[in-house]
Amino acid sequence: MLRANNFELAPTLEDLFASEEFYSVRSVGTQIKSPVQLVVGAHRELGIKDGNYPFLAQAVRNMGQDLFQPPNVKGWDGGRTWVNAGRVFVRYNAIAEALESAPRPGGQGGDYWTNPVEARWRSPRLDASFPGALRRPLAA
């Protein structure tokens, strides 16, 4: 794929992210995002410029990643350690907070849980992955 795009990274990544294999059942859910990846990625995807930073910092801490306080020199283990019975609800609430803060036509924030049709920030990737995010079993 890289050779086919003359070693240009942007078109290679576009091809990768547009491929069916990238979103296949075999691929989806194989990487569990760290708390920072989850929160920052959601804010970028939703176009949020001014988030509730104290809440987000506490949420990241409650998810097991206390910023600038790694458990050791190596850092955090990651993977399945980010998800357990307690942390999955913190992850869900952090995303809910981001969705409520997302810009929408006519004002700041919105109720995307009950009226997702209004959302102009929607992206095909988010639409495809978010509804089943908590229903899909984690990869072994």
mmCIF file of all heavy atoms in Angstrom, residues 69-110:
data_model
loop_
_atom_site.group_PDB
_atom_site.id
_atom_site.type_symbol
_atom_site.label_atom_id
_atom_site.label_comp_id
_atom_site.label_asym_id
_atom_site.label_seq_id
_atom_site.Cartn_x
_atom_site.Cartn_y
_atom_site.Cartn_z
ATOM 1 N N GLN A 69 2.291 10.665 36.407
ATOM 2 C CA GLN A 69 2.574 9.814 37.563
ATOM 3 C C GLN A 69 2.554 8.342 37.143
ATOM 4 O O GLN A 69 1.758 7.557 37.654
ATOM 5 C CB GLN A 69 1.538 10.051 38.674
ATOM 6 C CG GLN A 69 1.514 11.432 39.237
ATOM 7 C CD GLN A 69 2.788 11.769 39.989
ATOM 8 O OE1 GLN A 69 3.358 10.928 40.688
ATOM 9 N NE2 GLN A 69 3.267 12.988 39.817
ATOM 10 N N PRO A 70 3.421 7.941 36.207
ATOM 11 C CA PRO A 70 3.406 6.537 35.790
ATOM 12 C C PRO A 70 3.805 5.636 36.955
ATOM 13 O O PRO A 70 4.511 6.063 37.871
ATOM 14 C CB PRO A 70 4.450 6.491 34.672
ATOM 15 C CG PRO A 70 5.351 7.639 34.929
ATOM 16 C CD PRO A 70 4.493 8.702 35.559
ATOM 17 N N PRO A 71 3.350 4.393 36.931
ATOM 18 C CA PRO A 71 3.658 3.480 38.037
ATOM 19 C C PRO A 71 5.137 3.125 38.149
ATOM 20 O O PRO A 71 5.612 2.767 39.223
ATOM 21 C CB PRO A 71 2.823 2.242 37.724
ATOM 22 C CG PRO A 71 2.576 2.312 36.255
ATOM 23 C CD PRO A 71 2.549 3.761 35.894
ATOM 24 N N ASN A 72 5.854 3.229 37.044
ATOM 25 C CA ASN A 72 7.289 2.939 37.052
ATOM 26 C C ASN A 72 7.914 3.573 35.808
ATOM 27 O O ASN A 72 7.227 4.248 35.037
ATOM 28 C CB ASN A 72 7.558 1.423 37.105
ATOM 29 C CG ASN A 72 6.854 0.685 35.987
ATOM 30 O OD1 ASN A 72 6.911 1.074 34.827
ATOM 31 N ND2 ASN A 72 6.175 -0.395 36.338
ATOM 32 N N VAL A 73 9.179 3.333 35.587
ATOM 33 C CA VAL A 73 9.895 3.936 34.457
ATOM 34 C C VAL A 73 9.313 3.467 33.124
ATOM 35 O O VAL A 73 9.246 4.228 32.163
ATOM 36 C CB VAL A 73 11.406 3.598 34.542
ATOM 37 C CG1 VAL A 73 12.139 4.105 33.328
ATOM 38 C CG2 VAL A 73 12.002 4.182 35.804
ATOM 39 N N LYS A 74 8.876 2.231 33.062
ATOM 40 C CA LYS A 74 8.299 1.672 31.833
ATOM 41 C C LYS A 74 6.981 2.346 31.468
ATOM 42 O O LYS A 74 6.618 2.451 30.309
ATOM 43 C CB LYS A 74 8.075 0.178 32.024
ATOM 44 C CG LYS A 74 7.414 -0.528 30.869
ATOM 45 C CD LYS A 74 7.206 -1.995 31.235
ATOM 46 C CE LYS A 74 6.000 -2.561 30.603
ATOM 47 N NZ LYS A 74 4.744 -2.385 31.236
ATOM 48 N N GLY A 75 6.244 2.799 32.449
ATOM 49 C CA GLY A 75 4.938 3.393 32.190
ATOM 50 C C GLY A 75 3.828 2.411 32.493
ATOM 51 O O GLY A 75 4.006 1.466 33.256
ATOM 52 N N TRP A 76 2.678 2.626 31.882
ATOM 53 C CA TRP A 76 1.506 1.804 32.149
ATOM 54 C C TRP A 76 1.518 0.553 31.288
ATOM 55 O O TRP A 76 2.005 0.554 30.166
ATOM 56 C CB TRP A 76 0.245 2.609 31.869
ATOM 57 C CG TRP A 76 0.086 3.752 32.809
ATOM 58 C CD1 TRP A 76 -0.529 3.722 34.028
ATOM 59 C CD2 TRP A 76 0.548 5.089 32.634
ATOM 60 N NE1 TRP A 76 -0.465 4.954 34.619
ATOM 61 C CE2 TRP A 76 0.181 5.824 33.773
ATOM 62 C CE3 TRP A 76 1.223 5.758 31.630
ATOM 63 C CZ2 TRP A 76 0.471 7.166 33.943
ATOM 64 C CZ3 TRP A 76 1.524 7.093 31.785
ATOM 65 C CH2 TRP A 76 1.146 7.782 32.933
ATOM 66 N N ASP A 77 0.948 -0.532 31.803
ATOM 67 C CA ASP A 77 0.902 -1.785 31.057
ATOM 68 C C ASP A 77 -0.010 -1.695 29.845
ATOM 69 O O ASP A 77 0.292 -2.208 28.789
ATOM 70 C CB ASP A 77 0.447 -2.941 31.952
ATOM 71 C CG ASP A 77 1.518 -3.349 32.944
ATOM 72 O OD1 ASP A 77 2.712 -3.158 32.638
ATOM 73 O OD2 ASP A 77 1.155 -3.841 34.025
ATOM 74 N N GLY A 78 -1.158 -1.069 29.992
ATOM 75 C CA GLY A 78 -2.076 -0.905 28.874
ATOM 76 C C GLY A 78 -2.857 -2.157 28.560
ATOM 77 O O GLY A 78 -2.951 -3.080 29.373
ATOM 78 N N GLY A 79 -3.428 -2.182 27.358
ATOM 79 C CA GLY A 79 -4.224 -3.333 26.927
ATOM 80 C C GLY A 79 -5.438 -3.549 27.813
ATOM 81 O O GLY A 79 -6.155 -2.618 28.158
ATOM 82 N N ARG A 80 -5.659 -4.796 28.202
ATOM 83 C CA ARG A 80 -6.828 -5.155 29.010
ATOM 84 C C ARG A 80 -6.802 -4.553 30.410
ATOM 85 O O ARG A 80 -7.829 -4.538 31.088
ATOM 86 C CB ARG A 80 -6.961 -6.664 29.104
ATOM 87 C CG ARG A 80 -7.406 -7.279 27.812
ATOM 88 C CD ARG A 80 -7.524 -8.805 27.964
ATOM 89 N NE ARG A 80 -8.023 -9.375 26.752
ATOM 90 C CZ ARG A 80 -9.291 -9.693 26.555
ATOM 91 N NH1 ARG A 80 -10.177 -9.487 27.484
ATOM 92 N NH2 ARG A 80 -9.667 -10.215 25.409
ATOM 93 N N THR A 81 -5.656 -4.055 30.850
ATOM 94 C CA THR A 81 -5.612 -3.445 32.182
ATOM 95 C C THR A 81 -6.444 -2.169 32.241
ATOM 96 O O THR A 81 -6.797 -1.722 33.328
ATOM 97 C CB THR A 81 -4.168 -3.134 32.633
ATOM 98 O OG1 THR A 81 -3.595 -2.167 31.747
ATOM 99 C CG2 THR A 81 -3.306 -4.380 32.662
ATOM 100 N N TRP A 82 -6.764 -1.591 31.083
ATOM 101 C CA TRP A 82 -7.572 -0.368 31.070
ATOM 102 C C TRP A 82 -9.052 -0.646 31.281
ATOM 103 O O TRP A 82 -9.835 0.271 31.491
ATOM 104 C CB TRP A 82 -7.412 0.384 29.745
ATOM 105 C CG TRP A 82 -6.047 0.888 29.469
ATOM 106 C CD1 TRP A 82 -5.337 0.701 28.312
ATOM 107 C CD2 TRP A 82 -5.204 1.681 30.316
ATOM 108 N NE1 TRP A 82 -4.115 1.313 28.408
ATOM 109 C CE2 TRP A 82 -4.007 1.925 29.634
ATOM 110 C CE3 TRP A 82 -5.333 2.190 31.609
ATOM 111 C CZ2 TRP A 82 -2.960 2.659 30.168
ATOM 112 C CZ3 TRP A 82 -4.291 2.926 32.157
ATOM 113 C CH2 TRP A 82 -3.130 3.154 31.435
ATOM 114 N N VAL A 83 -9.461 -1.901 31.178
ATOM 115 C CA VAL A 83 -10.883 -2.207 31.257
ATOM 116 C C VAL A 83 -11.144 -3.223 32.365
ATOM 117 O O VAL A 83 -10.575 -4.302 32.376
ATOM 118 C CB VAL A 83 -11.398 -2.784 29.915
ATOM 119 C CG1 VAL A 83 -12.883 -3.080 29.988
ATOM 120 C CG2 VAL A 83 -11.108 -1.829 28.776
ATOM 121 N N ASN A 84 -11.988 -2.829 33.304
ATOM 122 C CA ASN A 84 -12.524 -3.746 34.305
ATOM 123 C C ASN A 84 -13.927 -3.268 34.642
ATOM 124 O O ASN A 84 -14.412 -2.287 34.073
ATOM 125 C CB ASN A 84 -11.612 -3.845 35.538
ATOM 126 C CG ASN A 84 -11.471 -2.541 36.275
ATOM 127 O OD1 ASN A 84 -12.392 -1.720 36.322
ATOM 128 N ND2 ASN A 84 -10.310 -2.328 36.884
ATOM 129 N N ALA A 85 -14.588 -3.918 35.567
ATOM 130 C CA ALA A 85 -15.990 -3.606 35.865
ATOM 131 C C ALA A 85 -16.198 -2.145 36.266
ATOM 132 O O ALA A 85 -17.184 -1.527 35.888
ATOM 133 C CB ALA A 85 -16.510 -4.529 36.956
ATOM 134 N N GLY A 86 -15.274 -1.572 37.025
ATOM 135 C CA GLY A 86 -15.414 -0.192 37.460
ATOM 136 C C GLY A 86 -15.004 0.812 36.405
ATOM 137 O O GLY A 86 -15.669 1.835 36.204
ATOM 138 N N ARG A 87 -13.942 0.534 35.716
ATOM 139 C CA ARG A 87 -13.394 1.497 34.751
ATOM 140 C C ARG A 87 -14.230 1.640 33.493
ATOM 141 O O ARG A 87 -14.228 2.686 32.861
ATOM 142 C CB ARG A 87 -11.967 1.110 34.380
ATOM 143 C CG ARG A 87 -10.996 1.335 35.510
ATOM 144 C CD ARG A 87 -9.605 0.924 35.121
ATOM 145 N NE ARG A 87 -8.678 1.165 36.219
ATOM 146 C CZ ARG A 87 -7.459 0.695 36.259
ATOM 147 N NH1 ARG A 87 -6.995 -0.050 35.267
ATOM 148 N NH2 ARG A 87 -6.677 0.950 37.282
ATOM 149 N N VAL A 88 -14.961 0.612 33.115
ATOM 150 C CA VAL A 88 -15.756 0.707 31.894
ATOM 151 C C VAL A 88 -16.833 1.778 32.054
ATOM 152 O O VAL A 88 -17.145 2.497 31.096
ATOM 153 C CB VAL A 88 -16.343 -0.662 31.480
ATOM 154 C CG1 VAL A 88 -17.488 -1.082 32.356
ATOM 155 C CG2 VAL A 88 -16.768 -0.631 30.022
ATOM 156 N N PHE A 89 -17.369 1.953 33.259
ATOM 157 C CA PHE A 89 -18.374 2.995 33.477
ATOM 158 C C PHE A 89 -17.754 4.384 33.461
ATOM 159 O O PHE A 89 -18.357 5.338 32.976
ATOM 160 C CB PHE A 89 -19.128 2.747 34.785
ATOM 161 C CG PHE A 89 -20.008 1.539 34.706
ATOM 162 C CD1 PHE A 89 -19.670 0.377 35.371
ATOM 163 C CD2 PHE A 89 -21.158 1.547 33.925
ATOM 164 C CE1 PHE A 89 -20.468 -0.750 35.278
ATOM 165 C CE2 PHE A 89 -21.959 0.430 33.822
ATOM 166 C CZ PHE A 89 -21.615 -0.728 34.504
ATOM 167 N N VAL A 90 -16.533 4.502 33.954
ATOM 168 C CA VAL A 90 -15.829 5.789 33.899
ATOM 169 C C VAL A 90 -15.548 6.140 32.442
ATOM 170 O O VAL A 90 -15.725 7.288 32.028
ATOM 171 C CB VAL A 90 -14.527 5.754 34.725
ATOM 172 C CG1 VAL A 90 -13.787 7.077 34.633
ATOM 173 C CG2 VAL A 90 -14.818 5.413 36.182
ATOM 174 N N ARG A 91 -15.153 5.160 31.638
ATOM 175 C CA ARG A 91 -14.913 5.384 30.214
ATOM 176 C C ARG A 91 -16.201 5.845 29.530
ATOM 177 O O ARG A 91 -16.210 6.804 28.758
ATOM 178 C CB ARG A 91 -14.375 4.108 29.548
ATOM 179 C CG ARG A 91 -12.982 3.722 30.013
ATOM 180 C CD ARG A 91 -12.560 2.354 29.500
ATOM 181 N NE ARG A 91 -12.179 2.364 28.108
ATOM 182 C CZ ARG A 91 -10.951 2.604 27.645
ATOM 183 N NH1 ARG A 91 -9.961 2.875 28.483
ATOM 184 N NH2 ARG A 91 -10.699 2.572 26.371
ATOM 185 N N TYR A 92 -17.287 5.156 29.819
ATOM 186 C CA TYR A 92 -18.586 5.501 29.239
ATOM 187 C C TYR A 92 -18.984 6.923 29.625
ATOM 188 O O TYR A 92 -19.421 7.703 28.778
ATOM 189 C CB TYR A 92 -19.624 4.488 29.740
ATOM 190 C CG TYR A 92 -21.006 4.697 29.182
ATOM 191 C CD1 TYR A 92 -21.357 4.182 27.947
ATOM 192 C CD2 TYR A 92 -21.966 5.398 29.903
ATOM 193 C CE1 TYR A 92 -22.628 4.366 27.434
ATOM 194 C CE2 TYR A 92 -23.241 5.587 29.394
ATOM 195 C CZ TYR A 92 -23.568 5.065 28.170
ATOM 196 O OH TYR A 92 -24.814 5.262 27.664
ATOM 197 N N ASN A 93 -18.827 7.289 30.891
ATOM 198 C CA ASN A 93 -19.201 8.632 31.356
ATOM 199 C C ASN A 93 -18.317 9.711 30.745
ATOM 200 O O ASN A 93 -18.789 10.823 30.482
ATOM 201 C CB ASN A 93 -19.168 8.709 32.872
ATOM 202 C CG ASN A 93 -20.327 7.962 33.502
ATOM 203 O OD1 ASN A 93 -21.370 7.787 32.885
ATOM 204 N ND2 ASN A 93 -20.136 7.486 34.718
ATOM 205 N N ALA A 94 -17.042 9.420 30.530
ATOM 206 C CA ALA A 94 -16.147 10.398 29.902
ATOM 207 C C ALA A 94 -16.594 10.680 28.468
ATOM 208 O O ALA A 94 -16.592 11.829 28.018
ATOM 209 C CB ALA A 94 -14.706 9.903 29.928
ATOM 210 N N ILE A 95 -17.015 9.637 27.751
ATOM 211 C CA ILE A 95 -17.510 9.823 26.389
ATOM 212 C C ILE A 95 -18.844 10.563 26.416
ATOM 213 O O ILE A 95 -19.100 11.442 25.589
ATOM 214 C CB ILE A 95 -17.640 8.469 25.650
ATOM 215 C CG1 ILE A 95 -16.262 7.837 25.478
ATOM 216 C CG2 ILE A 95 -18.334 8.635 24.309
ATOM 217 C CD1 ILE A 95 -15.280 8.671 24.687
ATOM 218 N N ALA A 96 -19.700 10.250 27.387
ATOM 219 C CA ALA A 96 -20.980 10.956 27.512
ATOM 220 C C ALA A 96 -20.742 12.441 27.755
ATOM 221 O O ALA A 96 -21.406 13.293 27.154
ATOM 222 C CB ALA A 96 -21.805 10.354 28.653
ATOM 223 N N GLU A 97 -19.777 12.770 28.593
ATOM 224 C CA GLU A 97 -19.432 14.175 28.863
ATOM 225 C C GLU A 97 -18.945 14.853 27.581
ATOM 226 O O GLU A 97 -19.316 15.982 27.283
ATOM 227 C CB GLU A 97 -18.356 14.251 29.937
ATOM 228 C CG GLU A 97 -17.805 15.631 30.197
ATOM 229 C CD GLU A 97 -18.755 16.530 30.976
ATOM 230 O OE1 GLU A 97 -19.674 16.021 31.621
ATOM 231 O OE2 GLU A 97 -18.559 17.754 30.921
ATOM 232 N N ALA A 98 -18.132 14.142 26.807
ATOM 233 C CA ALA A 98 -17.636 14.710 25.550
ATOM 234 C C ALA A 98 -18.785 14.948 24.579
ATOM 235 O O ALA A 98 -18.850 15.990 23.923
ATOM 236 C CB ALA A 98 -16.590 13.787 24.925
ATOM 237 N N LEU A 99 -19.702 14.003 24.482
ATOM 238 C CA LEU A 99 -20.839 14.162 23.574
ATOM 239 C C LEU A 99 -21.714 15.341 23.985
ATOM 240 O O LEU A 99 -22.220 16.072 23.137
ATOM 241 C CB LEU A 99 -21.672 12.883 23.532
ATOM 242 C CG LEU A 99 -21.046 11.734 22.758
ATOM 243 C CD1 LEU A 99 -21.823 10.449 22.997
ATOM 244 C CD2 LEU A 99 -20.983 12.049 21.280
ATOM 245 N N GLU A 100 -21.887 15.534 25.274
ATOM 246 C CA GLU A 100 -22.699 16.657 25.742
ATOM 247 C C GLU A 100 -22.004 17.990 25.493
ATOM 248 O O GLU A 100 -22.661 19.026 25.384
ATOM 249 C CB GLU A 100 -23.012 16.493 27.226
ATOM 250 C CG GLU A 100 -23.995 15.365 27.481
ATOM 251 C CD GLU A 100 -24.195 15.076 28.949
ATOM 252 O OE1 GLU A 100 -23.680 15.841 29.800
ATOM 253 O OE2 GLU A 100 -24.861 14.083 29.263
ATOM 254 N N SER A 101 -20.677 17.996 25.394
ATOM 255 C CA SER A 101 -19.915 19.224 25.161
ATOM 256 C C SER A 101 -19.711 19.525 23.680
ATOM 257 O O SER A 101 -19.238 20.601 23.337
ATOM 258 C CB SER A 101 -18.532 19.111 25.815
ATOM 259 O OG SER A 101 -18.649 18.869 27.184
ATOM 260 N N ALA A 102 -20.022 18.563 22.830
ATOM 261 C CA ALA A 102 -19.747 18.719 21.397
ATOM 262 C C ALA A 102 -20.550 19.863 20.807
ATOM 263 O O ALA A 102 -21.727 20.029 21.115
ATOM 264 C CB ALA A 102 -20.067 17.421 20.662
ATOM 265 N N PRO A 103 -19.912 20.671 19.949
ATOM 266 C CA PRO A 103 -20.634 21.773 19.314
ATOM 267 C C PRO A 103 -21.741 21.251 18.405
ATOM 268 O O PRO A 103 -21.621 20.205 17.801
ATOM 269 C CB PRO A 103 -19.558 22.491 18.502
ATOM 270 C CG PRO A 103 -18.364 21.643 18.532
ATOM 271 C CD PRO A 103 -18.539 20.571 19.543
ATOM 272 N N ARG A 104 -22.819 22.008 18.339
ATOM 273 C CA ARG A 104 -23.913 21.648 17.448
ATOM 274 C C ARG A 104 -24.538 22.924 16.906
ATOM 275 O O ARG A 104 -24.321 24.004 17.451
ATOM 276 C CB ARG A 104 -24.944 20.797 18.157
ATOM 277 C CG ARG A 104 -25.721 21.554 19.194
ATOM 278 C CD ARG A 104 -26.784 20.687 19.799
ATOM 279 N NE ARG A 104 -27.621 21.506 20.645
ATOM 280 C CZ ARG A 104 -28.846 21.219 20.932
ATOM 281 N NH1 ARG A 104 -29.399 20.141 20.442
ATOM 282 N NH2 ARG A 104 -29.548 22.002 21.712
ATOM 283 N N PRO A 105 -25.319 22.815 15.875
ATOM 284 C CA PRO A 105 -25.947 24.007 15.307
ATOM 285 C C PRO A 105 -26.818 24.715 16.339
ATOM 286 O O PRO A 105 -27.565 24.078 17.059
ATOM 287 C CB PRO A 105 -26.815 23.456 14.173
ATOM 288 C CG PRO A 105 -26.322 22.088 13.920
ATOM 289 C CD PRO A 105 -25.670 21.601 15.173
ATOM 290 N N GLY A 106 -26.666 26.027 16.429
ATOM 291 C CA GLY A 106 -27.509 26.809 17.320
ATOM 292 C C GLY A 106 -27.020 26.902 18.744
ATOM 293 O O GLY A 106 -27.665 27.474 19.594
ATOM 294 N N GLY A 107 -25.877 26.348 19.075
ATOM 295 C CA GLY A 107 -25.400 26.470 20.446
ATOM 296 C C GLY A 107 -24.358 25.449 20.812
ATOM 297 O O GLY A 107 -23.976 24.622 20.007
ATOM 298 N N GLN A 108 -23.931 25.511 22.052
ATOM 299 C CA GLN A 108 -22.888 24.614 22.556
ATOM 300 C C GLN A 108 -23.531 23.415 23.222
ATOM 301 O O GLN A 108 -24.452 23.550 24.005
ATOM 302 C CB GLN A 108 -22.005 25.366 23.566
ATOM 303 C CG GLN A 108 -20.903 24.550 24.187
ATOM 304 C CD GLN A 108 -19.790 24.198 23.234
ATOM 305 O OE1 GLN A 108 -19.674 24.772 22.175
ATOM 306 N NE2 GLN A 108 -18.974 23.242 23.597
ATOM 307 N N GLY A 109 -23.052 22.249 22.920
ATOM 308 C CA GLY A 109 -23.521 21.035 23.570
ATOM 309 C C GLY A 109 -24.811 20.528 22.962
ATOM 310 O O GLY A 109 -25.447 21.174 22.163
ATOM 311 N N GLY A 110 -25.182 19.337 23.344
ATOM 312 C CA GLY A 110 -26.410 18.777 22.809
ATOM 313 C C GLY A 110 -26.726 17.441 23.424
ATOM 314 O O GLY A 110 -25.892 16.826 24.066
#
